[in-house]
Amino acid sequence: MRIILSIVFLFFSSVIAAQKPAESVIAIKSSGSKFQFVNPKTRVPVDGELWDEAESFVNGFARVLRNNKFSFVHTGGKLIAPVEFAGARNFLNNRCAVQKMICGVLLTQREKQ
């Protein structure tokens, strides 16, 4: 009986340890209609960046929008690329698809983080 209980205990403790950790920051609506990334416990902003839109984290990155341009922040709330993309898809397998307007031409490229 002890062996069975030990195996069950080890199984459940490994399942709990393998769960995804919580994000270290969250996006909240701050001044007016702008969003800001803050510490979830203290609600202290991680920086002074304000965003028109901020989405939930997907695969470790959140898509953000400012002045109709997209970029991404990581789970620490820091920007990982310039805010210059006309379009952006969420990260998958450390890659994302982005669109950038150059000389009036919309280009699509894949970015690797």
Side-chain angles (χ1 to χ4, degrees), residues 19 23 38 43 50 72:
Q19 289 182 354
E23 272 78 28
V38 298
R43 300 284 190 202
L50 293 175
F72 294 92

Side-chain angles (χ1 to χ4, degrees), residues 14-112:
S14 65
V15 169
I16 290 170
Q19 289 182 354
K20 180 182 170 187
E23 272 78 28
S24 56
V25 298
I26 59 171
I28 63 166
K29 200 172 249 192
S30 63
S31 63
S33 62
K34 301 286 185 177
F35 291 86
Q36 191 168 30
F37 287 96
V38 298
N39 179 304
K41 293 178 184 171
T42 63
R43 300 284 190 202
V44 173
V46 294
D47 57 25
E49 299 272 9
L50 293 175
W51 304 101
D52 297 334
E53 291 181 20
E55 297 181 0
S56 300
F57 287 94
V58 176
N59 296 315
F61 301 97
R63 188 171 39 190
V64 292
L65 178 74
R66 184 185 316 145
N67 299 328
N68 294 320
K69 300 288 182 189
F70 290 95
S71 189
F72 294 92
V73 297
H74 61 58
T75 55
K78 300 297 180 187
L79 194 63
I80 64 163
V83 185
E84 62 182 15
F85 302 112
R89 304 285 302 229
N90 285 322
F91 273 81
L92 179 64
N93 297 325
N94 292 324
R95 293 183 180 269
C96 71
V98 295
Q99 292 178 320
K100 189 173 179 181
M101 189 70 80
I102 298 177
C103 299
V105 177
L106 189 63
L107 301 176
T108 302
Q109 61 187 27
R110 294 177 65 85
E111 291 288 322
K112 184 174 181 181

